[in-house]
Amino acid sequence: MTQDSTADWQARPRVSLRLVAQAAGVSIATASRVLNDGPDKASAETVLRVREAAERLGYRPGGAAQALRRRESRIVAVLAAALINPVMATIVASIGHALRAEGLVMALCDTHEDAAIQDDFLTEMQAQNARAFVLVGAVDSPGLTRLRAAGAPLIFVNRPDPGPAPGGAYVGIDNAAAGEALARHVLALGTQRAILLHGSLERTAGTERARGIRAAFAAVPDAELIAVEAPGLDQLTGGLQAMAQVLSLRDPPRAVLCLSDALAYGAWRGAREAGRQEGFDLYGFDNLLFNDWVAPWLSSVAVDPAAFGPAVLAQLPAPRAGSRCFLPHRLHLRPG
Amino acid sequence: MTQDSTADWQARPRVSLRLVAQAAGVSIATASRVLNDGPDKASAETVLRVREAAERLGYRPGGAAQALRRRESRIVAVLAAALINPVMATIVASIGHALRAEGLVMALCDTHEDAAIQDDFLTEMQAQNARAFVLVGAVDSPGLTRLRAAGAPLIFVNRPDPGPAPGGAYVGIDNAAAGEALARHVLALGTQRAILLHGSLERTAGTERARGIRAAFAAVPDAELIAVEAPGLDQLTGGLQAMAQVLSLRDPPRAVLCLSDALAYGAWRGAREAGRQEGFDLYGFDNLLFNDWVAPWLSSVAVDPAAFGPAVLAQLPAPRAGSRCFLPHRLHLRPG
DNA sequence: CTCCATTAGGTAAACGATTACCCAACCGCA
DNA sequence: TGCGGTTGGGTAATCGTTTACCTAATGGAG
């Protein structure tokens, strides 16, 4: 009655290794060896015949069968904390691009900073024999702990491992150094007092940025740093509300150091709606693409997003726990 | 010497169906039937035993083996034309979320509007037995033509099939209607003359938006619409350069209708840098998330990005060629 | 009591690739 | 001529699941 279920649109029969081998007049084993192990495993003439047959038939190795036999697929699991954040989206694009150049495929999930979603995806990807796990903004979760303990290949991007002990490689800027550099620049302008506008400090990147900024301010006698917390998960709204606090200060400092551009966007709206946008100098992190176009008032710590892909790729073969690849950052100052 | 290669970190032995069957004291076949075909294929007691065993052992079906046997994996190929565009990134996130709720996995590729990259990914995904192909901004390409001809499940999102005849379902706004609505609004304000600022009209979405706008203007006697083309692929830079043209007009119209918010961002920068940002009313499409925060001067046609995921999902089972699912859009006017 | 239909579940053949193992042919050398 | 080493390539097992097919048991009808 019901015959073997098949995606009906697929070309039948599939161009399988067997077909190639038949066309070349060799056994499947030989064909596989030639195609995978290079030309040293067979006579030059055989190599040629097999290659030609594969080419002619348009052979593509079936991903599923390969993944089954080698216990490893060409899929790399990539988790992003919030694709709504353009900088993460760009990083993800860069990673995807680098992976594809190696013949790998990016499976992507937006975790919305939710541990349950993250774990769900990690488990699913493990069931798919994912080759590695790239976490662009990981949250701590039981599933992550499990993988860490199992020694799975983990790469943390842009936000170091949130766990107690780092379980994989890190790729991203040196957040503490970047924070310190930003703060030093601000101080060098003669600033004595500044706002540190931060979101939830549970995110490791933010913590480190704040640490660097604090260190720089602590190094200058009489310099004062007023920390203001932006409430909630949404950085834009949080920045807006935090700015309200700042505006209510008796003598608010001019310099406002935001731990991300999104916070700065929110803060700027707050200032603008109060008609006081001229009263502040805003600083951020990430240097969102649109800054030059619609937020020229913002200075920001910039990283080249295209640098992430190759850096992640470099860690892929064997991400050693605790290894860190720091990408260069620079301060992108607002014109004028 | 070299033993069977294995991702060494993987828990060995894998919790396979055989293990579950053994634990439940049934054959593999029975276990599979219970887990896949529902409880009607075995006695209530057997069902219970199998389910319990699977649960206890933490069984997850191996994606590779499933994909091999059923010729269909749980992977859905998603191609985005430019993840750097926040609206596409958000749409992609929405699609990914909806897919995951169905137990599907999103494999993502940023094509950069490049036919070669698109084809490469399509081919690779076909080799992985992808269940469907979702194209968020497709370009025409030989590979796409091939899939279309083969009757592959194609879903075009946000930009209709660029090919001569639609080969899959479409999900997105009714671009022509949206353009017409926007133009009518502008005309209703008493505007007689306006700029139509467009990028390359090879993109189907843009073409349709322009068509709608032109239709609305044509319906009003004496209304004048001046088309200005933004050169190049980068809409931001293109908008900037196009605005230079506009600024050089003897008596430029106040209203500037841009076919995307990115173009509008570029145009605004052009106006601002000339000190003439007060002289124009800008309109766009997409209503980027950041508009309310840093581009309050922009009115834009908005769609709820979260609507894309469910709509795509609805088309998934069998995307019929030519079927269209129009998402609602509304005009998001700038405050004041 | 016999016979047929139904149900429960086991057996084994796929799916497409990789690879351990084996065999045959050939080489050079004593 | 006999022998060990190398090379080229075939055979078959295996990865984990699905499912066509078969068997045995059970129940009801005649």
Side-chain angles (χ1 to χ4, degrees):
Chain A
M1 181 80 82
T2 63
Q3 78 178 50
D4 247 22
S5 85
T6 293
D8 45 345
W9 62 273
Q10 290 269 15
R12 310 296 314 151
R14 198 187 187 293
V15 180
S16 67
L17 196 50
R18 183 165 54 158
L19 226 61
V20 173
Q22 267 171 7
V26 298
S27 75
I28 301 184
T30 304
S32 174
R33 276 189 289 251
V34 167
L35 263 25
N36 293 317
D37 302 345
D40 300 338
K41 297 289 188 166
S43 73
E45 199 233 356
T46 309
V47 170
L48 208 66
R49 280 219 313 281
V50 172
R51 291 234 169 105
E52 188 272 337
E55 180 74 21
R56 183 161 46 81
L57 298 175
Y59 168 71
R60 316 249 30 167
Q66 280 186 325
L68 177 59
R69 179 56 231 230
R70 339 164 137 165
R71 289 168 177 73
E72 181 176 71
S73 77
R74 289 208 296 277
I75 298 175
V76 172
V78 178
L79 319 223
L83 280 181
I84 209 176
N85 182 338
V87 81
M88 287 211 189
T90 314
I91 290 173
V92 161
S94 164
I95 293 174
H97 194 250
L99 290 178
R100 273 203 15 74
E102 293 292 290
L104 299 172
V105 173
M106 168 173 72
L108 180 66
C109 174
D110 185 338
T111 65
H112 292 83
E113 308 274 7
D114 181 328
I117 298 180
Q118 174 174 297
D119 275 2
D120 214 32
F121 189 66
L122 288 175
T123 311
E124 173 68 20
M125 283 301 103
Q126 206 184 348
Q128 300 271 357
N129 295 326
R131 176 165 305 206
F133 302 85
V134 180
L135 297 105
V136 188
V139 294
D140 209 3
S141 72
L144 183 53
T145 306
R146 190 168 46 76
L147 284 180
R148 210 189 281 120
L154 299 170
I155 302 177
F156 294 89
V157 177
N158 214 23
R159 185 192 298 173
D161 189 345
Y170 168 74
V171 170
I173 65 171
D174 183 338
N175 283 298
E180 200 165 338
L182 173 62
R184 271 216 257 265
H185 167 82
V186 171
L187 288 164
L189 293 177
T191 312
Q192 288 290 327
R193 302 169 60 231
I195 297 285
L196 167 59
L197 203 162
H198 63 85
S200 157
L201 284 182
E202 300 194 354
R203 311 280 221 309
T204 42
T207 314
E208 296 196 5
R209 289 172 185 174
R211 187 157 54 81
I213 292 172
R214 288 213 173 86
F217 270 78
V220 174
D222 302 330
E224 186 189 3
L225 188 65
I226 307 169
V228 175
E229 171 156 6
L233 268 180
D234 177 359
Q235 302 198 50
L236 294 161
T237 315
L240 178 68
Q241 296 178 5
M243 199 61 187
Q245 286 185 51
V246 173
L247 289 169
S248 72
L249 291 179
R250 197 155 36 89
D251 177 24
R254 245 197 110 71
V256 180
L257 280 58
C258 308
L259 291 195
S260 77
D261 282 3
L263 283 171
Y265 281 15
W268 187 74
R269 180 176 173 181
R272 176 174 52 78
E273 290 184 346
R276 294 171 62 182
Q277 71 265 40
E278 300 300 338
F280 297 94
D281 295 327
L282 289 159
Y283 298 87
F285 284 80
D286 296 340
N287 196 35
L288 299 184
L289 173 67
F290 292 140
N291 283 3
D292 285 343
W293 304 87
V294 292
W297 36 263
L298 180 59
S299 296
S300 189
V301 174
V303 203
D304 177 13
F308 282 89
V312 166
L313 208 57
Q315 301 288 336
L316 248 203
R320 293 177 303 103
S323 98
R324 355 192 103 238
C325 165
F326 286 135
L327 300 176
H329 56 86
R330 66 180 194 291
L331 192 52
H332 184 80
L333 296 174
R334 71 164 200 275
Chain B
M1 181 80 80
T2 63
Q3 79 179 48
D4 247 22
S5 83
T6 294
D8 45 344
W9 61 274
Q10 290 268 15
R12 309 294 316 151
R14 198 186 186 296
V15 180
S16 69
L17 197 50
R18 183 165 55 157
L19 226 61
V20 173
Q22 267 170 6
V26 298
S27 74
I28 301 185
T30 304
S32 173
R33 276 189 288 251
V34 167
L35 263 25
N36 292 317
D37 301 345
D40 299 340
K41 297 288 190 171
S43 73
E45 199 232 358
T46 308
V47 169
L48 209 65
R49 279 219 313 281
V50 172
R51 292 233 169 105
E52 188 272 337
E55 179 75 21
R56 183 161 45 81
L57 298 175
Y59 168 72
R60 318 251 22 168
Q66 280 188 326
L68 177 59
R69 178 57 229 229
R70 334 165 144 169
R71 291 170 174 73
E72 181 175 71
S73 77
R74 288 208 298 276
I75 299 175
V76 172
V78 178
L79 321 221
L83 280 181
I84 209 177
N85 182 337
V87 81
M88 286 212 188
T90 314
I91 290 173
V92 161
S94 164
I95 293 174
H97 194 250
L99 290 178
R100 274 203 12 76
E102 292 292 291
L104 299 171
V105 173
M106 167 174 72
L108 180 66
C109 173
D110 185 339
T111 65
H112 292 84
E113 307 274 6
D114 181 329
I117 298 180
Q118 175 174 297
D119 275 3
D120 213 33
F121 189 66
L122 288 175
T123 311
E124 172 68 20
M125 283 301 103
Q126 206 184 347
Q128 300 271 356
N129 295 326
R131 176 165 305 206
F133 302 85
V134 179
L135 298 106
V136 188
V139 293
D140 209 2
S141 72
L144 183 54
T145 306
R146 190 169 46 76
L147 285 180
R148 211 190 279 119
L154 299 170
I155 302 177
F156 295 89
V157 176
N158 213 22
R159 184 193 297 175
D161 188 345
Y170 168 74
V171 170
I173 65 170
D174 182 338
N175 283 298
E180 200 166 337
L182 173 62
R184 271 216 259 267
H185 167 83
V186 172
L187 288 163
L189 293 177
T191 312
Q192 286 291 323
R193 303 169 60 232
I195 298 285
L196 168 59
L197 203 162
H198 63 84
S200 156
L201 284 183
E202 300 193 354
R203 311 280 222 309
T204 44
T207 314
E208 296 195 4
R209 290 172 185 175
R211 188 157 54 82
I213 292 172
R214 288 211 173 88
F217 270 78
V220 174
D222 302 328
E224 187 191 0
L225 187 65
I226 307 170
V228 175
E229 171 155 5
L233 269 181
D234 177 0
Q235 302 197 50
L236 294 162
T237 315
L240 179 68
Q241 296 177 5
M243 199 60 188
Q245 285 185 53
V246 174
L247 289 168
S248 71
L249 291 179
R250 196 155 38 87
D251 178 22
R254 249 199 104 72
V256 180
L257 280 58
C258 307
L259 290 195
S260 77
D261 281 1
L263 284 170
Y265 280 14
W268 187 74
R269 180 175 173 181
R272 176 174 51 79
E273 289 183 347
R276 294 172 63 183
Q277 71 265 40
E278 301 299 338
F280 297 95
D281 294 327
L282 289 159
Y283 298 87
F285 284 79
D286 295 340
N287 196 34
L288 300 183
L289 173 67
F290 292 139
N291 284 2
D292 285 342
W293 305 87
V294 293
W297 36 263
L298 180 60
S299 296
S300 189
V301 175
V303 204
D304 177 13
F308 282 89
V312 166
L313 208 57
Q315 301 288 335
L316 248 202
R320 293 177 304 104
S323 98
R324 354 192 104 240
C325 166
F326 287 135
L327 299 177
H329 56 87
R330 66 181 193 292
L331 192 52
H332 184 81
L333 297 175
R334 71 164 200 277

